[in-house]
Amino acid sequence: MHVLIAPDCFTGTLTATQAAEAIAAGWRRSAPDDLLTLVPLSDGGPGFIDVVTAACPGDSSIVTVTGPRGGFVPAAVHVTTDEGGRRTAWVESAQAIGLHLLDAVERDPGVTSTWGLGELLAAALEQDVQRIVVGLGGSGTNDGGAGMLAALGAGPREVLGGGGAGLIATREGDLAGLAATRERFAGVEVVAATDVASPLLGLKGASAVFSQGKGATPEQSQLLEAALGHFVDQVRRVLPAGADLLTGQERRLDREPGAGAAGGVGYGLMLLGAHRRSGVETVLEAVGLGPLVAAADVVITGEGTLDHQSMVDTVVAGVADLAAAHATPVVALAGRIVIGRREAMSLGLSGSYAVAERYEDVARSMADPVGTLSARAARVAATWSPRR
């Protein structure tokens, strides 16, 4: 059998590459004669740049940028050239502002800033590129991209670069450089490759859904929502968005799908003229997964937790859709599965298997993620790969 192994990272335990290798090691124990092709994937969050760099030949450089709470962190800019000569810079927001860069006691989206991502974008602009693709996901911030904009020249750092809570003090004059900052990106296509399609504000927005996972209390989430709403009002005064061509009404960037990605960085990028695209679709196209799926007998994908959020804009959902188009069965391996068989089938999965099948197994699987994932893959291979 030809087996394509194409998982996402198992958040908090394994990178996508480590997960793919663990699955392959277990599969070989049960089916040593199978042909295995490993293609680690990403949804735009942590690991995005590693996946793109491995799959797309180009030139990579490392720059030093400011972390979400100060200090310095390394981040990569990967530049590729397509057949038409267009140069594209690929960057990953999580390398500059990721939640994984913060210890538990440091996690506070009221003060974490996206300033470092602005520095990373400035470095990408210097590469003489015609397109910049920004992978969004896994951030430890909730400032609507204000810090990023400040680092690019939109306004003072002391107002825009101090985190989401400080945006309540924003005034029109603090955004005096926003139009000029947008002009810096004229002629450059900016793609926000997001892991979610959330708007910036509201019950499905950045603060309401994601801020508590970044360390905010329920009360802080409400304050962050108010601060972002105030920030949006000030932006609309200095940079009118124009009218929607279909309705004639004002176009509200804060309501666009993906504006709430990475704590609102999607919105900040849209202010620079970016358009949103699913991070999964961007990665699948970049690595050329379609022909590999068509050539495979079965596809193995996976992620840390298979739940209701896995149904849209995730690696599992994207791989399942692509496999359905080629009539190739797809199987998911996950650390935990909290959806039923009906939901898994509606996702297009021919099978789904959890490493931790019971709650008491979770601690053991977290303690040895490689070993337990590999063991589960071996049992799955015994089911899916007929013995000679």
Side-chain angles (χ1 to χ4, degrees), residues 69 106-113 140-143 161-167 211 214-217 220 223-224 227:
R69 291 201 66 165
E106 296 179 307
R107 296 178 178 181
D108 182 355
V111 299
T112 50
S113 173
T141 58
N142 199 94
D143 70 353
L167 297 178
S211 66
K214 302 174 184 182
T217 63
Q220 276 183 304
L223 293 174
L224 288 167

Side-chain angles (χ1 to χ4, degrees), residues 49-201:
I49 197 69
D50 293 334
V51 168
V52 171
T53 300
C56 306
D59 298 316
S60 293
S61 58
I62 303 297
V63 297
T64 301
V65 300
T66 305
R69 291 201 66 165
F72 298 105
V73 295
V77 179
H78 185 65
V79 179
T80 60
T81 305
D82 62 22
E83 294 180 355
R86 180 181 63 171
R87 288 169 56 84
T88 298
W90 304 78
V91 298
E92 177 188 313
S93 65
Q95 289 194 325
I97 60 171
L99 185 64
H100 69 281
L101 299 173
L102 301 166
D103 293 331
V105 295
E106 296 179 307
R107 296 178 178 181
D108 182 355
V111 299
T112 50
S113 173
T114 55
W115 179 275
L117 180 57
E119 295 174 324
L120 185 57
L121 289 178
L125 273 179
E126 294 175 356
Q127 299 292 323
D128 187 28
V129 296
Q130 290 76 51
R131 186 173 71 138
I132 300 175
V133 181
V134 188
L136 298 183
S139 83
T141 58
N142 199 94
D143 70 353
M148 171 191 73
L149 296 171
L152 292 166
R157 184 173 189 173
E158 55 268 23
V159 178
L160 303 180
L167 297 178
I168 197 69
T170 308
R171 298 294 179 264
E172 287 184 53
D174 299 322
L175 296 164
L178 185 55
T181 300
R182 181 184 175 94
E183 188 64 26
R184 289 182 64 182
F185 289 84
V188 178
E189 178 190 2
V190 182
V191 180
T194 75
D195 62 342
V196 296
S198 304
L200 179 65
L201 304 172

